Amino acid sequence: MSLSPSTLPRSVNLVHVKAPRTDRNEPGLRERLARLHALNSPLQWQLAVLAHLLGRDNARELAAWREAAQALHDADLLLDDVLGLPHCHRLPWFEHFARLLAPGPVEPRHALIGAARRLMVADGMVTPAEQLQWVALRHLLAGSAVAPPTAAHADLADLDDARAQAVCVFSGFLSQLLPAPEVTLDLDGLEPVGQGWYDSITAPWLGRFEAPAREQQDIDATLRALREIQALPWLLRPVLVRRWFDAARVLTEGPQLHPAAADALRLTCTLLDSPVPPELGRQYTEVIPARH
């Protein structure tokens, strides 16, 4: 994405991201990863997935997890291993365990989706990040149901109004997380950085229709928009992901995207069966299949 000097974001409108901490010398990380690789039962995989959904220091969600884990004798060790993962490992392992469960019976998968919902609402609040991860979990457990590839011009500006509107609605939801999670209160009077990101995404359709307001996106409308985007031709999905990523990078000062923004975009790639942009992929350490 190119911006003229007059439209470059001011420093007050940038997301500041510190250099990531390397995990090569993380105490016990090698042993932790070995134990996660050794998990071999659907119950262990289910509880590992649920552990990835826990909020930091959230006592009510933790209580819900422990209730689900009563039948596992070494549950505390599994929980410690998951919660102790550095950020770069967490989403890859979440996806790994969900994909292990996908070929299994339908009933346990439905039960896991229900357990995930109960865990997330245990504290009476569901954040946009939690909503996105829950939707991605459903998608992963289903084994993917995105439209197959079709031929098309790889130009978002050529989308018809209905699909362009769907991109706007889903982008409005993502703008709560990209280029960084927004705080509830705006105390400094500045335009939220998410608004600038949203405006850059919707710019190709300026003049054709009025982009919907991004605030307080209804989750049902967001899911309907997601289904429309999942039906886009395969070649257009990576183009859209690249637009989202580039717009976030313009508004990010630092070597990488904000961790929560990176997670949101990676989960969205999963939902669209789209390749992850290489720069985004470097923020994660993929799970290497265990040798048998």
Side-chain angles (χ1 to χ4, degrees):
M1 170 178 290
S2 61
L3 293 177
S4 66
S6 61
T7 59
L8 287 173
R10 298 175 297 165
S11 62
V12 292
N13 289 328
L14 292 177
V15 174
H16 301 280
V17 179
K18 296 180 179 179
R21 181 170 62 90
T22 60
D23 61 22
R24 287 178 297 179
N25 298 319
E26 186 83 16
L29 179 60
R30 181 175 299 179
E31 292 77 12
R32 193 185 305 278
L33 295 177
R35 286 193 295 270
L36 291 177
H37 271 299
L39 299 179
N40 59 9
S41 75
L43 177 59
Q44 290 173 321
W45 301 337
Q46 292 164 13
L47 292 173
V49 166
L50 292 176
H52 279 90
L53 300 175
L54 287 171
R56 184 179 295 276
D57 300 324
N58 192 312
R60 292 183 178 179
E61 290 185 359
L62 180 58
W65 187 90
R66 292 194 183 283
E67 182 178 351
Q70 289 179 358
L72 188 66
H73 73 279
D74 55 353
D76 285 343
L77 180 59
L78 184 153
L79 180 64
D80 180 69
D81 284 340
V82 170
L83 297 185
L85 287 174
H87 175 265
C88 62
H89 288 276
R90 288 183 61 84
L91 264 191
W93 278 99
F94 168 78
E95 296 165 358
H96 172 72
F97 288 124
R99 289 189 172 107
L100 286 176
L101 291 162
V106 172
E107 188 173 335
R109 284 183 279 149
H110 283 176
L112 176 57
I113 291 170
R117 182 193 292 272
R118 289 191 296 274
L119 186 150
M120 289 190 300
V121 303
D123 61 351
M125 179 179 65
V126 181
T127 67
E130 289 174 326
Q131 292 172 334
L132 184 60
Q133 195 164 7
W134 185 76
V135 173
L137 174 62
R138 290 197 315 177
H139 180 80
L140 288 165
L141 291 177
S144 175
V146 174
T150 58
H153 298 295
D155 191 343
L156 293 171
D158 293 335
L159 288 178
D160 60 60
D161 285 2
R163 286 188 168 179
Q165 286 268 8
V167 171
C168 292
V169 170
F170 191 73
S171 297
F173 172 80
L174 284 181
S175 73
Q176 300 174 78
L177 300 166
L178 286 165
E182 292 191 341
V183 296
T184 303
L185 299 176
D186 179 17
L187 299 178
D188 54 18
L190 298 173
E191 179 183 271
V193 68
Q195 183 65 53
W197 181 87
Y198 180 69
D199 290 343
S200 69
I201 298 301
T202 58
W205 307 293
L206 188 64
R208 279 176 47 185
F209 56 81
E210 183 177 354
R214 72 181 190 92
E215 297 88 352
Q216 299 178 341
Q217 288 291 329
D218 175 78
I219 188 59
D220 292 328
T222 299
L223 292 178
R224 289 193 295 271
L226 173 61
R227 287 192 287 272
E228 287 287 332
I229 298 172
Q230 287 176 326
L232 288 176
W234 186 85
L235 290 177
L236 271 181
R237 296 176 216 153
V239 174
L240 178 56
V241 169
R242 170 55 67 174
R243 182 182 292 276
W244 284 329
F245 177 82
D246 287 346
R249 282 298 303 141
V250 166
L251 295 168
T252 302
E253 182 180 64
Q256 299 182 343
L257 290 189
H258 186 284
D263 283 355
L265 198 49
R266 178 174 172 128
L267 289 170
T268 300
C269 288
T270 295
L271 287 166
L272 300 184
D273 282 355
S274 170
V276 174
E279 306 95 320
L280 177 62
R282 287 193 285 271
Q283 292 193 222
Y284 296 93
T285 303
E286 301 301 330
V287 177
I288 301 174
R291 295 180 178 179
H292 298 288

